[in-house]
Amino acid sequence: MHPRIYRITQFTTIMKEITSQPQIELVFDPSNNTTTQSQSHCDPPVAKKCSLSFSLTPILTKFHAGYFRISLSLCSQALLWKILGEPPHNAHALRQLFSFLPSTAFALLWSIALSTLAFLSLIYILRCLFHSEMVKAEFLHHVGVNYLFAPWISWLLLLQSSPFITPKSVYYIVLWWVFVVPILVLDVKIYGQWFTKGKRFVSVAANPTSQISVIGNLVAARAASKMGWRECAIIMFSLAMAHYLVLFVTLYQGLAGSNSLPAMLRPVFFLFIAAPSMASLAWVSISGTFDNAAKMLFFLSLFLFLSLVSRPNLFRKSMKKYSLVWWAYSFPLTVLALASAEYAEEVKGGMAHVLMLGLSALSVLVSLALMVFSATNTNMLVLDTLPVSTTNRSSDSQQSDSVPIL
Amino acid sequence: MVMENNKFMDHAKQNSPEEIPSLLQFLSSNEVEGFDIVGGKKGLNNQSQPSEIKPLNSSAMVTDTADVQSQSKESHHHRKDSVSISMPSSPFRSDEFQTPKSVAFNLSEKESSTMISDSTAGGIPMHAKSHSQPIPKGFVVERTVENINFTHHPSVASRFRDRRFDSFKTWSGKLERQLTNLRGGRPQEVGPEEETKKSEMETNLPVDRYFDALEGPELDTLRASEQILLPEDRTWPFLLRFPVSSFGICLGVSSQAILWKTLATSESTKFLHITPLINLVLWFIAVALVVVIFSVYLMKVIFYFEAVRREYYHPIRVNFFFAPWIALLFLAMGVPPSITKTLPGALWYVVMTPIFCFELKLYGQWMSGGQRRLSKVANPSNHLAIVGNFVGALLGASMGLKEGPLFFFAVGLAHYTVLFVTLYQRLPTNETLPKELHPVFFLFVAAPSVASMAWARLQGSFDYGARIAYFICLFLYFSLAVRINFFRGFKFSLAWWAYTFPMTGAAIATIRYSNEVTNVVTRILAVTLSSISSLVVTALLVTTILHAFVLRDLFLNDIAIAISEKRPKHHHHRKWLHHLRHGSSDHKDIENYLKFSPEGKYVEACVDPRSTENEESIENKV
């Protein structure tokens, strides 16, 4: 058998094992591949299928919804730049600074975000077509399923930051429906599972990535209130907040079940920041002013940010080597910066503007650094450089990491 | 003195015919002064009666006498074994302690009281565990001794200190040993067991050890199978016995000052004609208390930092580290109008900074899900860690600040929600939740009452948000009050003071509410709650005085800080027994179920269990 097919079949076998075998089977030692390879022989139909779609298969098999972290970051950056680039009339001097940013920079960023998102979406659609069983496995995974929200959130963010579609236009409304319906369907599925289905109740299924589902609703609420649909916005907002309350309490309790996030995935703890900030943004656009409720949500987000930043040991293990999960840092920081921009606009104090400036600079820097890291570590990101014959330890462990993460 | 000792002998014979220590036999044929002062060469007794030292000629005597002799913290005797001779001593009343010579006798008082009770109850083995023992009687004498010692603490007395307490000192005695050597004192050789003790002290205790070794609603009594690092049979140095929960007294008194200020200044309680003088007096008492307790605890931080560290890692005591700062906030709120009406804004920032730092630490531990995740350590005393936010918000808002108070209110509200739900759930994984009702549950009332006032201040009026919080507080208060019967039968502890301020807070909130809705019902409610809180504080004051001066057990040995890091050998057996006793074997099953549920297998599979454990241990050090 061709070595590449070995790898592929091995991978698919592992995928099957994940869904069927008890956990001890999964901890395979990268040094002795012989056992897993011998297992792969017993599954000829999968190998045959893989060899048919030869060129795309490695991409499609390795791809997963977690890659939409990149588009989330880029789209939220685009929104941040858009909001910062349009200072209100009586803005603070520090805010006026941003109006010197060339508008072409924003247009460039927006188009980069658009193309990235379109590219990722295309790949994912292909994956759905050719490897629906893998998508299904992702859907059943308690971390992976939450990233199915990510593409729709990215599209909604991109829609809100779009330079040429105004919120009142028909395109906006149509696109809003297109992107919100999948979110609602996923909501019904996931939230329903939390309190009805026997084995997926919330104390077991909840993990920090579950907050993406809440964020999805909040982004939709913000977009709806921008186009003037206040009732829809309130529906989405209340739906999100009710489940956010449950989720926040459950996550904070640190029950044994929700405590089982692998160390490599620790950066997603930053999503703790994103949800209250997004809620604050949504509430501002619904209520029209940055009132006390919005402030409290923003302050909670700020406190969680400080709390996470002050314990770097939590992230030490995941920071040893570049991985895709790093992109999880960028999106929450950007959302926090967005909320701080709204806050500074309301409070108009010097401190508030310094805070906004600092958080915006931080989020931009983090995003830039992540882009640079991703560009220099393309062999881990770009999929067709999948190591074929090399059986060195690093690539294997990389793969074994990415399997359960999905 | 001879007569006393004869009495003492008689009693000893009655009580324990089966084994009379050689010391007693020796003593019966020797004069008594020798007993008092043996080994006192280096001690304080030395100072009071230096001329009476008589060297003992019986070599077998020396160790035994030392054990008996040195129970006070001043016993600078140096010994390695902790064998207690279970010395039955005289049934002295405290009024019989008149000569300074008698100091040495109070050492075995604890034993003696057991012996007395034993003799009435029938033959119980003599080495009953001391943690269950009531009431040593030599308190006043000890206190005087301590006060004397205080003045020459580091310089004179350090040379002669009992080395077993060294491991709890700030530099674990290293610096002091060097100083001793410099001064030309004899070099103290360190035995192997001292070394192991020291190494135990340097690592942080995992939280599980606290749960395994201690029991009781405040985790302050030792389980029967456990051993502690410090001698159980003797009274420890005062600073080691001074727990951080003493700051509860400040909370109780300073909140009373606020209550009387509110009573004197509110519209709705004008008809009572309360003089603002009460507030003034209470406030000065509170200031004095805060100063005294702060300085004593500061000394503990300086001299026994290890003990403070162990209190900080104690899952319940850590919440009391918020108490001093909350007490300061209370003082600022209760400041009498005759002294000042406006406080500088900088004060608020200064006091809130330590609260903020503790919060970052504690809430971060809850969130990041290590050993100290909330589902494991949640306890009503966590309310102390929450309520600081609301108190800070209240003070800041009444000082005219805007954004800072709202920040703390938001943080407090979010974490209060989490804690409230967690405590109501009574998760089986919660190890410290008291099985039955306990005064600590009154802390439930604290957060909503203060939150309602804080929200009213932030909004500028007692609006619906404030009312909702207030009614929640009222409901919780009543639901606890109707169960008042269950509060009987608990051992008094100093921490109870901390549980009075929620009642005071509820009373103040009621006065605020009756300002808004003024009618007969609200006025009656305000007066009732205020008088209940004042009565409770008075009762507690009487109890404290009783314990301090009559029963003399206010500051018992603080077992909670001295637990050993190693598990006892028969640990598993005991655990199993424990489960059987409490009938809660399903406890572990649930946790196991959560851990190994079908969802769990994906993620758990890719984590090397060893690495996870390492990481958890790292996190706990953060």
Side-chain angles (χ1 to χ4, degrees), chain B residues 364-380:
Chain B
Q365 279 177 350
W366 294 351
M367 179 174 61
S368 57
Q371 264 185 340
R372 287 165 193 272
R373 55 182 186 269
L374 192 62
S375 60
K376 212 164 178 185
V377 299
N379 183 276

Side-chain angles (χ1 to χ4, degrees), chain A residues 18 21 26-27 141 199 204 248 252-254 259-260 266 292 295-296 299-300 303 307 311 313 317 343 404, chain B residues 366 368-369 373-375 403 410 414-415 422 425 459 597 599 601-603 605-606 611 615 618-619 622:
Chain A
I18 289 170
Q21 301 290 314
L26 241 181
V27 191
H141 190 277
K199 57 174 187 172
V204 173
F248 186 71
Y252 238 95
Q253 284 179 340
N259 199 24
S260 54
R266 292 269 170 80
N292 273 356
K295 273 183 193 169
M296 281 165 65
F299 287 146
L300 174 63
F303 178 83
S307 171
R311 26 186 64 233
N313 272 345
K317 194 175 181 195
Y343 173 72
Chain B
W366 294 351
S368 57
R373 55 182 186 269
L374 192 62
S375 60
E403 303 301 314
H415 293 91
T422 312
Q425 285 179 331
Q459 290 290 78
S597 61
E599 265 66 35
K601 73 182 180 188
Y602 303 98
V603 278
C606 74
S611 66
E615 256 193 7
I618 290 170
E619 280 158 29
V622 177

Side-chain angles (χ1 to χ4, degrees), chain B residues 63-83:
Chain B
T63 51
D64 284 347
T65 346
D67 279 327
V68 180
Q69 187 269 343
S70 55
Q71 186 146 159
S72 93
K73 71 162 281 189
E74 282 343 292
S75 66
H76 307 306
H77 200 82
H78 149 141
R79 67 170 199 187
K80 282 186 178 149
D81 52 345
S82 56
V83 180

Side-chain angles (χ1 to χ4, degrees), chain A residues 208-225:
Chain A
T209 53
S210 307
Q211 296 177 85
I212 297 180
S213 63
V214 170
I215 294 168
N217 293 325
L218 292 168
V219 172
R222 187 176 186 274
S225 72

Side-chain angles (χ1 to χ4, degrees), chain B residues 316-566:
Chain B
I316 290 183
R317 293 279 176 83
V318 64
N319 299 302
F320 281 89
F321 279 84
F322 286 88
W325 316 108
I326 298 174
L328 287 182
L329 291 173
F330 278 166
L331 278 187
M333 273 196 283
V335 61
S338 51
I339 292 179
T340 177
K341 285 196 170 161
T342 52
L343 292 163
L347 187 78
W348 187 81
Y349 290 102
V350 170
V351 182
M352 290 316 281
T353 310
I355 291 184
F356 179 70
C357 295
F358 278 121
E359 276 172 3
L360 274 186
K361 171 78 186 162
L362 196 66
Y363 301 166
Q365 279 177 350
W366 294 351
M367 179 174 61
S368 57
Q371 264 185 340
R372 287 165 193 272
R373 55 182 186 269
L374 192 62
S375 60
K376 212 164 178 185
V377 299
N379 183 276
S381 57
N382 286 124
H383 281 294
L384 279 175
I386 301 282
V387 84
N389 291 307
F390 296 124
V391 180
L394 175 57
L395 178 69
S398 42
M399 283 162 76
L401 302 170
K402 188 81 185 83
E403 303 301 314
L406 199 60
F407 177 87
F408 281 102
F409 191 88
V411 173
L413 189 64
H415 293 91
Y416 176 66
T417 315
V418 174
L419 185 66
F420 188 72
V421 173
T422 312
L423 290 177
Y424 251 71
Q425 285 179 331
R426 281 189 166 263
L427 293 170
T429 47
N430 261 341
E431 303 206 21
T432 60
L433 216 54
K435 291 280 182 294
E436 59 289 304
L437 273 176
H438 183 268
V440 73
F441 277 93
F442 265 99
L443 284 175
F444 265 101
V445 182
S449 66
V450 186
S452 92
M453 288 186 277
W455 184 249
R457 279 282 182 195
L458 282 170
Q459 290 290 78
S461 72
F462 209 91
D463 65 358
Y464 286 127
R467 279 175 207 207
I468 288 170
Y470 170 68
F471 290 136
I472 290 172
C473 142
L474 215 56
F475 172 78
L476 290 173
Y477 195 137
F478 287 141
S479 76
L480 284 174
V482 296
R483 289 171 171 78
I484 198 76
N485 274 343
F486 296 108
F487 287 128
R488 289 179 307 188
F490 286 103
K491 207 166 70 85
F492 172 79
S493 96
L494 211 54
W496 285 23
W497 275 97
Y499 311 146
T500 61
F501 90 88
M503 297 185 201
T504 317
I508 300 171
T510 308
I511 297 172
R512 288 272 148 78
Y513 178 67
S514 74
N515 278 345
E516 201 72 20
V517 183
T518 315
N519 57 38
V520 184
V521 178
T522 54
R523 276 184 176 165
I524 289 175
L525 198 62
V527 173
T528 316
L529 291 186
S530 310
S531 43
I532 287 176
S533 106
S534 295
L535 281 178
V536 167
V537 170
T538 318
L540 208 52
L541 186 71
V542 172
T543 320
T544 309
I545 291 174
L546 206 70
H547 278 274
F549 297 110
V550 182
L551 299 172
R552 286 168 191 162
D553 62 346
L554 194 57
F555 294 101
L556 289 176
N557 282 355
D558 189 9
I559 305 287
I561 60 167
I563 56 169
S564 151
E565 194 175 349
K566 288 195 270 304

Side-chain angles (χ1 to χ4, degrees), chain A residues 64-78:
Chain A
H64 55 81
Y67 280 87
F68 283 102
R69 289 186 190 112
I70 302 172
S71 67
L72 267 184
S73 307
L74 293 176
C75 296
S76 57
Q77 275 293 317

Side-chain angles (χ1 to χ4, degrees), chain B residues 117-418:
Chain B
S117 58
D118 285 353
S119 67
T120 54
I124 292 173
M126 292 181 60
H127 43 275
K129 283 287 175 187
S130 71
H131 65 266
S132 60
Q133 284 173 7
I135 314 167
K137 295 195 176 146
F139 185 69
V140 166
V141 191
E142 284 168 29
R143 286 297 292 266
T144 54
V145 170
E146 282 145 16
N147 290 342
I148 295 165
N149 180 44
F150 250 43
T151 52
H152 15 157
H153 190 275
S155 58
V156 180
S158 67
R159 210 191 304 182
F160 314 111
R161 201 176 285 117
D162 188 333
R163 288 224 324 269
R164 281 172 303 170
F165 296 113
D166 276 358
S167 50
F168 279 79
K169 283 195 188 116
T170 300
W171 300 285
S172 295
K174 279 176 212 150
L175 188 72
E176 288 169 4
R177 259 201 307 282
Q178 284 168 6
L179 286 178
T180 320
N181 291 343
L182 278 180
R183 269 198 241 110
R186 64 193 167 81
Q188 300 175 347
E189 64 282 357
V190 178
E193 67 181 69
E194 296 281 319
E195 285 291 356
T196 54
K197 197 181 282 183
K198 214 146 285 167
S199 67
E200 265 186 41
M201 299 300 302
E202 271 148 26
T203 56
N204 296 334
L205 275 183
V207 73
D208 287 329
R209 275 306 294 148
Y210 285 98
F211 291 137
D212 286 345
L214 299 166
E215 61 188 356
E218 281 157 16
L219 279 190
D220 54 357
T221 46
L222 197 69
R223 291 214 164 126
S225 59
E226 294 283 335
Q227 302 223 316
I228 58 171
L229 298 175
L230 297 181
E232 284 181 63
D233 50 337
R234 311 192 331 178
T235 312
W236 302 346
F238 175 69
L239 287 178
L240 279 184
R241 287 180 288 127
F242 188 80
V244 69
S245 35
S246 314
F247 282 106
I249 301 177
C250 305
L251 288 182
V253 177
S254 52
S255 61
Q256 278 294 310
I258 305 175
L259 173 66
W260 287 95
K261 181 186 177 183
T262 321
L263 276 176
T265 54
S266 286
E267 281 296 320
S268 62
T269 51
K270 270 275 177 354
F271 69 97
L272 291 171
H273 300 293
I274 305 255
T275 163
L277 209 64
I278 304 178
N279 168 33
L280 195 70
V281 173
L282 276 173
W283 191 75
F284 277 114
I285 294 174
V287 169
L289 270 173
V290 166
V291 169
V292 169
I293 293 178
F294 250 91
S295 44
V296 173
Y297 202 78
L298 197 66
M299 283 212 225
K300 185 172 176 181
V301 173
I302 294 171
F303 295 122
Y304 292 98
F305 187 71
E306 288 301 319
V308 176
R309 214 166 58 100
R310 277 169 163 253
E311 283 199 296
Y312 183 72
Y313 285 111
H314 189 285
I316 290 183
R317 293 279 176 83
V318 64
N319 299 302
F320 281 89
F321 279 84
F322 286 88
W325 316 108
I326 298 174
L328 287 182
L329 291 173
F330 278 166
L331 278 187
M333 273 196 283
V335 61
S338 51
I339 292 179
T340 177
K341 285 196 170 161
T342 52
L343 292 163
L347 187 78
W348 187 81
Y349 290 102
V350 170
V351 182
M352 290 316 281
T353 310
I355 291 184
F356 179 70
C357 295
F358 278 121
E359 276 172 3
L360 274 186
K361 171 78 186 162
L362 196 66
Y363 301 166
Q365 279 177 350
W366 294 351
M367 179 174 61
S368 57
Q371 264 185 340
R372 287 165 193 272
R373 55 182 186 269
L374 192 62
S375 60
K376 212 164 178 185
V377 299
N379 183 276
S381 57
N382 286 124
H383 281 294
L384 279 175
I386 301 282
V387 84
N389 291 307
F390 296 124
V391 180
L394 175 57
L395 178 69
S398 42
M399 283 162 76
L401 302 170
K402 188 81 185 83
E403 303 301 314
L406 199 60
F407 177 87
F408 281 102
F409 191 88
V411 173
L413 189 64
H415 293 91
Y416 176 66
T417 315
V418 174

Side-chain angles (χ1 to χ4, degrees), chain A residues 141-149 153 186-187 190-191 193-194 200-218 240 243-244 246-248 250-251 257-258 261 268-269 271-272 275:
Chain A
H141 190 277
H142 69 301
V143 174
V145 66
N146 296 305
Y147 277 101
L148 296 182
F149 283 97
I153 298 173
L186 281 169
D187 273 347
I190 289 182
Y191 297 159
Q193 276 178 347
W194 280 359
R200 263 175 197 268
F201 48 90
V202 70
S203 62
V204 173
N207 63 80
T209 53
S210 307
Q211 296 177 85
I212 297 180
S213 63
V214 170
I215 294 168
N217 293 325
L218 292 168
H243 290 95
Y244 179 61
V246 174
L247 203 54
F248 186 71
T250 312
L251 291 177
S258 57
L261 204 68
V268 299
F269 265 98
L271 285 171
F272 266 107

